[in-house]
Amino acid sequence: MTLFHTTRVRRRRLGVAAAVAGLLATLLTATNAVASPGPGDSAATAVSADTRAEAEAAITDGGIPGVDEIVHSANIEHLANVPKDALLGLNTDLAFQGKYAFAGNFDGFRIFDISNPKKPKTVAQVLCPGSQNDISVSGNLLFLSTDSSRSDNSCASTTQPATEKSSWEGIKVFDISDKRHPEYVASVETACGSHTHTIVPKRNDVYVYVSSYSPNAAFPDCQPPHDGISVIKVPRKAPEQARIVNFPVLFPDGGNPGAPDNPGVSKTTGCHDITVLPSEDLAAGACMGDGLLFSIKDPANPKIIDRVQDNVNFAFWHSATFNQDAHKVVFTDELGGGGAATCNEEIGPNRGADGIYDIVGKGDHRKLVFRSYYKIDRPQADVEVCVAHNGSLIPVEGRDLMVQAWYQGGISVWDFTDSSKPEEIAYFERGPVTLDAVTTAGPWSAYYYNGYIYSNDIAKGLDVLALHDRRTDPAKRVRLDELNVQTQPDYFDR
């Protein structure tokens, strides 16, 4: 096992002051953050000779690991890595059911048999291009998000401009009763596509909350204002009858205006991601310039309870995680849209970070109250895309523990039991994938499922980790039949 002991190293500043100013200007003046690159977008930006030299010096000094070098804390064990195979696009989100893991990819999705976590086996690979291919499962149904304009709703579609009325974006539904041969059974087109989605499972139906954003008057199927979410109802026994049943307006006042009123903050034109906690009839929305708390007692008609903004340090509200007792929410800020190096001294500890909020009060009078920020403090090179991204709870009663992906910042296990004093307790990361460019790579998602951490690395494939720590060991006794992280389970009342 490779051990790596973090040493606090004061990062060298960029040699040219103008370069620093340029980077900050790029990150802070964007009014429409892009949450992830599309299949046809460039995923790398060349860096200067000075930036490369700084990264080389940091590697030589031991401040950061070398290119592709794996390092981790002593309480993490790297069990397995399964590289990409037929699907060569960016790896994205994960879902779980029984002994299977379902991994999204910009080109489709892959199903793994994880009955032996040390040797995951590929069961199926489905070619179905359409970024991001955000993924979830419920019973025999698998849901896939398409948020890139396609020629039609088939898995043989090609890219087509969003200015064309015939273009298609939305939700695809697959029957996965035979894991080796998933069957595409339904689709629903949604306004502005489906960047992410969240399911609310019921006995006979599955409700799907579709998050999308960035309308444009030139896009026939994505017209402004786009101030809500699409709600789809999918009958379990007849998924081909899936349809939109509501488009609740979440921002009747238009949401955060962004720049110039709030420089560096994304204008709210929809939501990026929603997390639901069905056991408490609650949901938390990460909606570009706004954070939401709402009731889902009636899943087709979500009701806003509270709304907050952070116009100082949050650029793009990206995702949310409740603690088990539903009295805290962790929101993430995806500063730079997952395409910039933000884990460095120039950006600082409060931007591109997690924001921890306590939920105070009762019922519809509950409020979100900010407590602190959490950001990894392990040094990262300016060639490494690094920002807060997708994570999940580690189920331990009486503690608030989370594992989280940070792109090339790796995987962080951290404790936010004290909302005001979060701390990292374990980590895993690779060194830069290259020193020649800022490249979107590293873990997209890092989730805890039935005793292990699973990570879908954008470039390197599926990683499986074992965590050996007395603080997290009780979680090994918690077993789930299914896990969609954005549909948080009640871990202790089943």
Side-chain angles (χ1 to χ4, degrees), residues 262-277:
N262 298 316
V265 177
S266 296
K267 178 181 179 181
T268 298
T269 59
C271 288
H272 177 275
D273 207 352
I274 292 169
T275 293
V276 297
L277 187 59

Side-chain angles (χ1 to χ4, degrees), residues 321-396:
T321 303
F322 288 99
N323 74 332
Q324 179 60 44
D325 294 331
H327 57 73
K328 298 177 188 176
V329 181
V330 174
F331 288 103
T332 68
D333 172 25
E334 196 183 37
L335 173 68
T342 70
C343 298
N344 54 30
E345 197 172 74
E346 285 72 38
I347 299 301
N350 295 336
R351 289 179 291 163
D354 295 316
I356 304 167
Y357 286 75
D358 284 352
I359 302 174
V360 300
K362 296 182 179 180
D364 290 349
H365 299 290
R366 284 172 285 192
K367 297 293 183 183
L368 292 164
V369 179
F370 173 77
R371 294 302 186 202
S372 67
Y373 298 106
Y374 170 75
K375 188 173 182 179
I376 60 171
D377 63 358
R378 288 172 279 109
Q380 304 296 317
D382 288 341
V383 297
E384 294 181 279
V385 169
C386 176
V387 73
H389 216 242
N390 293 353
S392 77
L393 291 185
I394 298 176
V396 175

